[in-house]
Amino acid sequence: MKVAVVGTGYVGLGTTALLAYFGHQVMGLDIDQDKVDMLVRGELPIYEPGLGELMAECGDRLHWTTDYSAAIPDADVIFICVGTPPLPGGQPDLRYLAAAAQDVARHLNGKMQVVVNKSTVPVGTGDWVARIIEENAPDYKQHQYNVVSNPEFLREGTALFDSLYPDRLVLGGNDGAGVARLLELYAPLIEQDFQAPAHVPRPQGYTRPEVVATSLSSAEMIKYAANSFLALKISFANEIAGLCERVDADIEEVARGIGSDARIGRQFLSAGAGWGGSCFGKDTSALISTGEEYGYDMPILRAAVAVNQSQRQLVIAKLQKHLHRLQGKRVAVLGMAFKPNTDDLRDAPAHDAIARLNELGATVVAHDPVAMPRARREWGHLNYTEASSAAAALIGADAVLLMTEWKDYTELDWNGAVRTMRQPLVIDTRNALRCAIPTATLEQIGRRGQSQVSQHQISSSQVSPSQVSSEQVAPQAKK
């Protein structure tokens, strides 16, 4: 088929690559000329492992444009994958979706075409998009254009694996013709009869995804409900972790014990600094906001959001427990992206930690193996200095916050690195370090006895901030 994909963010790029890999002719469209120019040159505007390699395998089946008239008229299926960021009140901002739907409608050509909403949107948005098409499409006729909801369930960092081998495929429509066309479009994915990419092999025992065909409104609700439930599991684990610290239990052992119950499952029971990224915070807020519109309170989701916010405060509280006043202290922050294997900084716990450290008068040195260039563009309001490596960030530090569980950090020679610190205090907010650091005080979340791993303290005379060279820390502070 001929496919148009509007939007070249995480979802849009993954959709274009997936469908082109399956043999369809795909044109990705974005109004940002710079992003399109990058893609034409074979460069990616985001970091996602393996995506570039998959696109390279698509050859001439994949094209890029900023012109709706070049992408929409001949397309059999049109995906809308634009952002729906949260407004101050928690409702999603649908301006970009409305603009895209209007431009798509104006370029429909009269044949049977399917418009697929892949953006995360409130219940009822599909019907609204259908009205936009009805009002803006030339020579509109009923049943000529079908609107389908096909929400994505990708995890950044493993987006290709999640796209090629999904648990389920949700297709929501009020007209069977639209869903039928998507079933045809996704046939290679459903039947799993495509040759698996060498760098994303098919997992052993995987057969095929479950196809969930629903109404438009149910498909939209599935997306919000799924993300909200996962956010709830994380907040529950964090709340239990807080109690574990007080009763001398270990959250890792508790999570393993309850996660072994098939009714609960082990995923998303990891305690830490709280969830971040573009989905959980936005989707829980949107669902709460939808409830308010109908006079329906959602106290469980409100509690999940509150627990998540408290986890970010807990990180600073653990610092203060050991350092007391943070004024004038030097704190290393390892990890800026909200999770490993992505450069996405949206709602990242590290952002809140750096902001709070700024308020308390601490000096911040930060490092991330991938996200620092993006942080220069998006975190200009924060005050921190870049380090060239994780080891360089620790030199002369009074404490280190491990905020993202990058492999670079879990495999760091911690015993050697902490010897360069002024005070060897490690706050592992992701419970990523699996063994003790004999020469340091290690604090984790909900772990039993971690803060008393060692009574050995390195003398502050071993290192001073003046020993940090200009080659190890970038000269400019981010303000």
Side-chain angles (χ1 to χ4, degrees):
M1 293 186 190
K2 292 183 178 180
V3 180
V5 179
V6 181
T8 58
Y10 288 93
V11 176
L13 288 177
T15 302
T16 56
L18 179 78
L19 294 176
Y21 183 76
F22 288 159
H24 302 295
Q25 291 291 326
V26 185
M27 185 168 288
L29 184 152
D30 200 292
I31 60 174
D32 187 331
Q33 185 67 58
D34 291 339
K35 289 179 70 175
V36 170
D37 290 343
M38 287 182 66
L39 290 163
V40 169
R41 294 193 301 266
E43 302 171 7
L44 291 179
I46 63 170
Y47 178 85
E48 181 61 43
L51 182 57
E53 292 92 321
L54 191 71
M55 286 185 170
E57 295 186 39
C58 296
D60 60 3
R61 296 189 300 275
L62 191 54
H63 303 275
W64 309 98
T65 186
T66 59
D67 186 1
Y68 276 85
S69 65
I72 304 304
D74 292 336
D76 301 301
V77 181
I78 301 134
F79 286 86
I80 298 179
C81 306
V82 299
T84 54
L87 293 167
Q91 310 93 328
D93 186 347
L94 300 179
R95 288 179 297 169
Y96 309 109
L97 176 64
Q102 289 168 2
D103 285 331
V104 166
R106 294 180 185 122
H107 292 89
L108 295 172
N109 76 351
K111 67 176 181 177
M112 194 279 205
Q113 292 175 287
V114 178
V115 178
V116 183
N117 192 4
K118 213 162 180 65
S119 301
T120 302
V121 294
V123 177
T125 302
D127 293 327
W128 178 58
V129 169
R131 298 293 80 75
I132 290 176
I133 293 173
E134 181 179 342
E135 294 167 1
N136 290 275
D139 302 321
Y140 175 84
K141 296 181 181 62
Q142 194 172 10
H143 304 302
Q144 186 176 27
Y145 309 120
N146 289 270
V147 175
V148 174
S149 175
N150 173 216
E152 54 81 20
F153 300 97
L154 310 180
R155 298 167 296 174
E156 292 176 28
T158 59
L160 290 189
F161 182 90
D162 296 340
S163 297
L164 292 166
Y165 317 113
D167 296 321
R168 77 287 204 195
L169 190 64
V170 176
L171 305 174
N174 296 333
D175 188 315
V179 171
R181 176 163 291 183
L182 279 215
L183 289 172
E184 183 182 353
L185 180 80
Y186 281 128
L189 181 68
I190 296 170
E191 299 301 328
Q192 287 289 304
D193 56 6
F194 62 89
Q195 182 175 351
H199 62 288
V200 195
R202 187 176 283 107
Q204 186 175 7
Y206 180 82
T207 53
R208 53 184 288 164
E210 180 178 354
V211 177
V212 182
T214 73
S215 65
L216 265 175
S217 56
S218 291
E220 292 163 343
M221 179 61 84
I222 287 169
K223 170 64 175 179
Y224 275 125
N227 277 352
S228 295
F229 186 75
L230 296 177
L232 179 63
K233 285 188 73 174
I234 295 172
S235 286
F236 177 80
N238 279 325
E239 188 166 273
I240 295 298
L243 188 57
C244 284
E245 291 189 4
R246 289 158 176 80
V247 301
D248 194 33
D250 191 308
I251 186 59
E252 298 281 308
E253 297 170 353
V254 173
R256 186 169 69 252
I258 65 175
S260 299
D261 188 327
R263 299 169 299 175
I264 298 173
R266 299 189 180 191
Q267 291 187 318
F268 292 87
L269 283 178
S270 298
W275 35 262
S278 63
C279 294
F280 288 174
K282 178 170 67 74
D283 294 355
T284 51
S285 295
L287 207 52
I288 291 169
S289 177
T290 298
E292 290 174 344
E293 292 176 6
Y294 291 88
Y296 186 75
D297 192 23
M298 308 195 77
I300 295 176
L301 282 187
R302 290 185 189 276
V305 173
V307 169
N308 196 62
Q309 287 304 115
S310 70
Q311 287 304 112
R312 303 195 179 191
Q313 299 167 19
L314 175 65
V315 171
I316 302 300
K318 285 183 175 291
L319 271 180
Q320 292 172 321
K321 181 175 77 172
H322 293 275
L323 300 181
H324 307 294
R325 295 194 323 111
L326 298 181
Q327 179 78 33
K329 296 295 194 302
R330 184 186 188 91
V331 180
V333 174
L334 299 186
M336 303 165 85
F338 85 94
K339 63 180 291 188
N341 298 317
T342 182
D343 64 347
D344 196 345
L345 300 170
R346 287 174 289 184
D347 197 27
H351 174 278
D352 290 3
I354 295 173
R356 184 60 179 148
L357 289 169
N358 288 167
E359 292 174 357
L360 295 172
T363 298
V364 179
V365 181
H367 177 266
D368 190 285
V370 168
M372 284 198 296
R374 187 165 179 175
R376 289 181 208 131
R377 301 190 301 269
E378 299 182 10
W379 286 6
H381 56 286
L382 297 179
N383 189 353
Y384 64 90
T385 303
E386 293 182 356
S388 61
S389 66
L394 268 61
I395 297 175
D398 294 286
V400 55
L401 296 178
L402 177 54
M403 299 299 300
T404 313
E405 60 273 33
W406 284 99
K407 187 177 181 180
D408 302 50
Y409 305 149
T410 59
E411 295 184 350
L412 181 68
D413 175 14
W414 282 94
N415 279 317
V418 297
R419 291 183 182 278
T420 69
M421 297 176 67
R422 181 159 55 187
Q423 298 186 59
L425 171 61
V426 180
I427 310 294
D428 175 13
T429 74
R430 295 298 182 185
N431 291 349
L433 304 182
R434 311 315 297 176
C435 58
I437 306 173
T439 53
T441 298
L442 173 64
E443 273 271 2
Q444 294 183 303
I445 308 295
R447 301 299 309 280
R448 184 177 62 241
Q450 294 302 300
S451 61
Q452 285 78 41
V453 167
S454 173
Q455 296 300 317
H456 176 64
Q457 298 292 316
I458 298 175
S459 170
S460 62
S461 64
Q462 286 183 280
V463 67
S464 68
S466 63
Q467 290 177 261
V468 184
S469 73
S470 60
E471 295 179 354
Q472 293 165 322
V473 178
Q476 76 278 14
K478 308 307 293 179
K479 295 183 179 179

